[in-house]
Amino acid sequence: MLPLDPFDLVALCWAQVVFFVGGLASFRALRGRLQFRPQSSGPIQETVLLVRPCAGEEPLLREALASSRVLSTVAPHSRVVFALASRQDGAFRIAQEVQHELSAAGVEAELFETLASTANAKSGQLAAVVARRPGEILVFADSDVELEAVSLRALIEAARQERVGAAWVPPAEVAVARTQGDRCSQALLSASLHAFPMVSGIDEQGLVGKLFALRRSTLEAVGGFESLGDVLGEDMELARRLRLQGLRIEVIPLLARSLACGRSMHTVVERFTRWLQVIRSQRPSLLLSYPFLFFATLPLLGTAAWCVKSPTVGWAMAVLAVLGRLQVAWVGRLLVANKASRGGIWVDTMMADGLLMKAFFRAISRKTVEWRGRSLALTEGGRLVSRAAQAALPLALALWLGATSALALPAVGDMGKNVNLEDADGKIVKMESLVGKPILIVYEDKESTKMNQSFKDELSKLAKGDKYRDKVALAAVADVTAYNYWPVKGFVKDSIREESKKLGTPIFCDWDGHVRVSFTFRKKTSSIVLLNKQGRVIFAAEGKLSSEQRQKAVELLKAEVEG
């Protein structure tokens, strides 16, 4: 037998990998469903807060929101909150009517006007409710999800476990399709590897925020939703932070029944484009797997027909591609059990792959996000900003550059900013948690790290005494916005982690520039800010400090510690 051409061998291995991954995802998803046993314990005694963010009048909104009544059968000490940005929202009338119906039935329910104005409207709504309403266990369900007692109980029981950061239920669309957009969306979420019951079997890092739960204390430990107001894909970022805390993400092998329907094709394409933009901004290496894995059938068949030299290899690739794709579609449709789908398995696979392919090419070619009538720019680090604000940046920058250098720093007497400080391992420290001690902020990038070395040497001498080591909070922050991309980001994290060990104190990473912007620090220079025990600025300087400035900063620090 003649040896295979190297390209033919690689192509055949590709087909085998696609077949194997599809089989593995199918096996794990089926095993999880078959092995699942509902909890039979009594009512949950912790206080449970169910938050349902609403935006716009969806076709089956009343039915979805009314299903919230099942929470009271699972957790007697519970509260249901329908969150809307304002009373002018299209969902207000229906949400208000359902709230009255639930209250009349003995369910503690309320309508909450959040007035959220964050780029990620959902994060803003959730943050507003969580900050003002009690609950030990927090459950979040999108407004189109029809809740069921069995999935709610399993979700809350999992979230109660000590080492579980969050638990989620894979969503599936089960309403009768009214448009071609509905049919394509249902096909993708049932007859493809991207169906969430399937993908949860091969991606243990994921969290889909359609229906999930976690403990309040856990959410607060990673910064809360207020720190996710400008993040595209708040659920994926939340999962990342939880994993860095050593917590696991639990998947409940049931279905979060979405009643979404009546959508145009354009709306559906934009929705899946946003999902892939989340992957692009937060897990770019995973995005590369889409053409080679998630919609690989057509590329495999094309390679088999026109690129490989051996007819035997070509036929083997074609058989593996077709059988593997049909097996994924069959298992996915079986798990979702969507009887509303009128398409056959062949039609569903073609619609699913076509939609995913279109969304993929849009996601890799666009830097804007279309979301509920708003056009947002996707900036460095996966942050969202309004297009209007982005357009105003050049003017704002020109005005800022024309201002005096004194305007570049916070003034003495100003309150410090409550920014999130993230170390090289992704652990979050809120600036406000350091209040009570004098806080010394040293903000530098790679080029300016030696600029104030003499000042840092003086601080090191002070730190040798227990008095200063224990009574001063040092916030050393590295401006690493220039390295916020794969794979360089990983190397930078390793370097900062090693440097932190040498210094014996954490060095925080400003990946997206939010610390610099919050304190109005300038790029490519060293900035020193000292806050008193109450969190107010008592010293601020930038550039190379003079001997007088160094002496003043040290004297102020000593006065705070010894006074």
Side-chain angles (χ1 to χ4, degrees), residues 243-372:
R243 292 194 307 273
L244 289 171
Q245 296 289 331
L247 302 173
R248 74 175 190 273
I249 308 301
E250 188 83 9
V251 182
I252 308 301
L254 297 173
L255 293 180
R257 294 168 52 83
S258 169
L259 302 183
C261 61
R263 299 155 296 178
S264 67
M265 193 66 194
H266 172 76
T267 300
V268 169
V269 171
E270 288 297 332
R271 178 194 182 198
F272 285 102
T273 299
R274 280 196 307 275
W275 283 359
L276 293 183
Q277 285 177 307
V278 172
I279 301 295
R280 172 189 165 189
S281 63
Q282 297 196 32
R283 298 174 65 186
S285 58
L286 180 61
L287 186 67
L288 298 175
S289 68
Y290 274 77
F292 294 102
L293 193 61
F294 285 88
F295 56 87
T297 306
L298 188 59
L300 279 172
L301 292 177
T303 302
W306 293 297
C307 299
V308 300
K309 297 178 180 179
S310 169
T312 303
V313 170
W315 279 109
M317 288 179 62
V319 169
L320 287 171
V322 171
L323 289 181
R325 185 65 185 86
L326 290 177
Q327 175 257 145
V328 166
W330 183 82
V331 174
R333 283 159 56 106
L334 178 67
L335 290 169
V336 172
N338 184 5
K339 298 178 182 178
S341 177
R342 298 193 301 269
I345 193 169
W346 285 106
V347 174
D348 279 4
T349 55
M350 288 187 290
M351 287 194 299
D353 286 6
L355 174 58
L356 195 56
M357 193 179 301
K358 186 173 184 177
F360 172 81
F361 286 111
R362 284 195 174 207
I364 63 174
S365 62
R366 285 167 51 171
K367 294 185 178 180
T368 59
V369 177
E370 303 301 323
W371 201 352
R372 293 191 180 275

Side-chain angles (χ1 to χ4, degrees), residues 172-187:
E173 296 178 355
V174 298
V176 175
R178 302 184 181 185
T179 64
Q180 186 62 24
D182 290 345
R183 290 194 63 196
C184 289
S185 182
Q186 289 181 1

Side-chain angles (χ1 to χ4, degrees), residues 28 51 63 92 113 161 173 205 210 226 244 277 350 362 375 386 438:
R28 288 182 174 177
V51 186
E63 291 82 349
F92 177 79
E113 187 178 12
Q161 298 178 32
E173 296 178 355
Q205 300 184 51
K210 202 78 170 170
E226 58 267 25
L244 289 171
Q277 285 177 307
M350 288 187 290
R362 284 195 174 207
S375 183
S386 71

Side-chain angles (χ1 to χ4, degrees), residues 475-547:
V477 186
D479 181 359
V480 287
T481 52
Y483 311 106
N484 191 19
Y485 60 93
W486 182 85
V488 175
K489 185 174 182 177
F491 300 139
V492 173
K493 282 185 176 182
D494 291 340
S495 177
I496 291 178
R497 196 177 289 114
E498 288 300 317
E499 192 66 22
S500 297
K501 290 180 180 178
K502 291 178 184 177
L503 296 176
T505 187
I507 297 176
F508 300 104
C509 306
D510 189 12
W511 295 108
D512 55 13
H514 78 281
V515 177
R516 184 182 69 241
V517 171
S518 297
F519 281 92
T520 60
F521 294 147
R522 289 196 297 176
K523 289 184 176 182
K524 300 185 183 304
T525 191
S526 174
S527 298
I528 311 294
V529 174
L530 178 60
L531 309 180
N532 64 15
K533 296 176 183 178
Q534 291 74 42
R536 291 191 178 276
V537 177
I538 57 175
F539 178 85
E542 65 181 10
K544 184 176 177 60
L545 301 186
S546 65
S547 58

Side-chain angles (χ1 to χ4, degrees), residues 42-57:
I44 293 167
Q45 296 305 316
E46 291 96 334
T47 56
V48 177
L49 176 66
L50 170 61
V51 186
R52 308 209 61 174
C54 305
E57 186 175 355

